Amino acid sequence: MYGVVSAAAAGGRSRGVGGNPVRLLVEGGVAALISDVPLEEFGETSLYRNLNDPVWLEVTARAHERVVADALAGGAVVPFRLGTLYHADEHVRAFLAQRQDALVRLLNRLEGAVELGVKAWFDRALYGAPEAPAAVHSGRDYLVRRRREAELARAADRFRGECAAASHELLAAAAQASTVNPPQPRELTGRPEQMILNGAYLVDRGDDALAAAVRALESRYGSRGVSYELTGPWPPYNFVEGGV
Amino acid sequence: MSSYGSLPSVHGGASPAQSGGPAQLADVLERVLDKGIVIVGDIRINLLDIELLTVKLRLLVASADKARELGIDWWSNDPFLSRGGGEQLESRLKRLEEATGIDGDGDERR
């Protein structure tokens, strides 16, 4: 099960995990986006193994994401976490019937909205390199230089935190709702700069206020080594917590 | 101005995967594993397992020492998650057997 959409939504045309067609299972005012998966692959034991297989995980995660993203084109969608599995359509139907009201409320709240991601990256080298190392003539010169370097490092740390907070504040003001996720480490991003902000913002589809805020931030902080990256539109994964 | 390239623009209507190349895997995993509605279906994804993965994602966030090209193999050295865990358990069992004098694999022991 990938997510829930309004029963009136047109969708469910895409292919899901394993290339199987995605179906819409309608119950009352809502419909579940589902597709069949083989039990040999998604049974409890094999699922455990597969989740820990990087290739399987990537392929499956991307397939799951694509189905939800495709559904978003046809209207509001409540995204479900990867690995929501039922043995029979009837069980899905029972779930939909039971949570009907909450799902409808959530769909109404998310109607017309998309999630955008904004990351801020900090390049320490551009923030202000220690001045060209003056020749060290004495122990005193050395100590002075070390102290300057330490001060600069502290200032950079302070700036990083302040910039991330100020950036999020400005971005949040341009969004209906917002949330901050932990910055991803370099192992994950593969970038030399440090991620200092990993925010998600719920905005009206087509509203470019957030993009404008990003441009404003880029010109405000760009000269101090900060760059921004806008991703999306995403389904509102970050804005359904506690919703059903 | 920074020396970085121009800011990516928002692509209305396009999925992240369609706007300027595929979405970063980390962004996808962060969302489909850690966000979204969580309900317990018929097959318990053994929530513990997925929680472990999620914890790993969080852990990654906290520690940033080892350089990994893509970061999708972060659990390869984790005894709880990798297949190596089985071997580790086996060697531990063997040590225990030796310590208690139980003959685990048919070797002659006094």
Side-chain angles (χ1 to χ4, degrees), chain A residues 187-234:
Chain A
E187 292 96 314
L188 214 51
T189 65
R191 286 178 62 155
E193 312 95 308
Q194 184 182 15
M195 190 188 295
I196 59 173
L197 173 68
N198 183 16
Y201 305 88
L202 190 70
V203 302
D204 281 334
R205 185 196 298 273
D207 180 3
D208 52 10
L210 196 83
V214 171
R215 281 193 295 273
L217 287 167
E218 178 98 352
S219 61
R220 186 190 300 178
Y221 294 116
S223 62
R224 281 186 278 174
V226 183
S227 58
Y228 294 84
E229 183 189 354
L230 190 56
T231 65
W234 295 91

Side-chain angles (χ1 to χ4, degrees), chain A residues 48 85 87 91 123 185 187, chain B residues 4 27 42 49 60 66 75:
Chain A
Y48 174 82
L85 298 155
H87 283 303
H91 301 184
D123 187 335
E187 292 96 314
Chain B
Y4 291 105
D27 290 352
D42 292 340
D49 301 341
L60 262 185
K66 289 177 206 155
W75 52 82

Side-chain angles (χ1 to χ4, degrees), chain B residues 32-46:
Chain B
V32 307
L33 290 181
D34 198 27
K35 313 290 171 189
I37 297 278
V38 183
I39 51 164
V40 179
D42 292 340
I43 294 180
R44 293 187 176 245
I45 195 169
N46 209 340

Side-chain angles (χ1 to χ4, degrees), chain A residues 42-126:
Chain A
F42 287 83
E44 283 169 29
T45 323
S46 29
L47 193 56
Y48 174 82
R49 196 175 53 243
N50 288 332
L51 277 171
N52 289 293
D53 174 344
V55 175
W56 187 93
L57 181 62
E58 169 162 10
V59 169
T60 310
R62 286 193 184 280
H64 180 91
E65 209 289 309
R66 190 150 311 125
V67 170
V68 183
D70 285 351
L72 184 67
V77 54
V78 177
F80 279 58
R81 194 192 272 203
L82 175 69
T84 308
L85 298 155
Y86 285 94
H87 283 303
D89 284 8
E90 285 321 301
H91 301 184
V92 180
R93 225 184 272 283
F95 163 76
L96 294 178
Q98 196 192 345
R99 306 293 178 89
Q100 184 85 201
D101 295 346
L103 288 166
V104 169
R105 265 199 308 277
L106 205 46
L107 284 169
N108 287 338
R109 181 161 73 75
L110 296 172
E111 187 57 50
V114 294
E115 174 180 321
L116 296 177
V118 179
K119 295 179 203 149
W121 304 87
F122 180 59
D123 187 335
R124 175 71 178 78
L126 293 177

Side-chain angles (χ1 to χ4, degrees), chain A residues 137-225:
Chain A
H137 295 299
S138 67
R140 190 177 168 281
D141 285 354
Y142 175 75
L143 286 177
V144 166
R145 202 182 71 192
R146 286 293 300 269
R147 199 164 57 213
R148 288 185 59 86
E149 282 169 3
E151 276 165 11
L152 196 59
R154 274 197 302 276
D157 286 349
R158 229 179 8 250
F159 168 75
R160 219 171 42 196
E162 286 166 5
C163 171
S167 298
H168 175 65
E169 199 179 324
L170 191 77
L171 294 164
Q176 297 173 20
S178 61
T179 183
V180 179
N181 291 315
Q184 297 161 357
R186 289 195 180 90
E187 292 96 314
L188 214 51
T189 65
R191 286 178 62 155
E193 312 95 308
Q194 184 182 15
M195 190 188 295
I196 59 173
L197 173 68
N198 183 16
Y201 305 88
L202 190 70
V203 302
D204 281 334
R205 185 196 298 273
D207 180 3
D208 52 10
L210 196 83
V214 171
R215 281 193 295 273
L217 287 167
E218 178 98 352
S219 61
R220 186 190 300 178
Y221 294 116
S223 62
R224 281 186 278 174

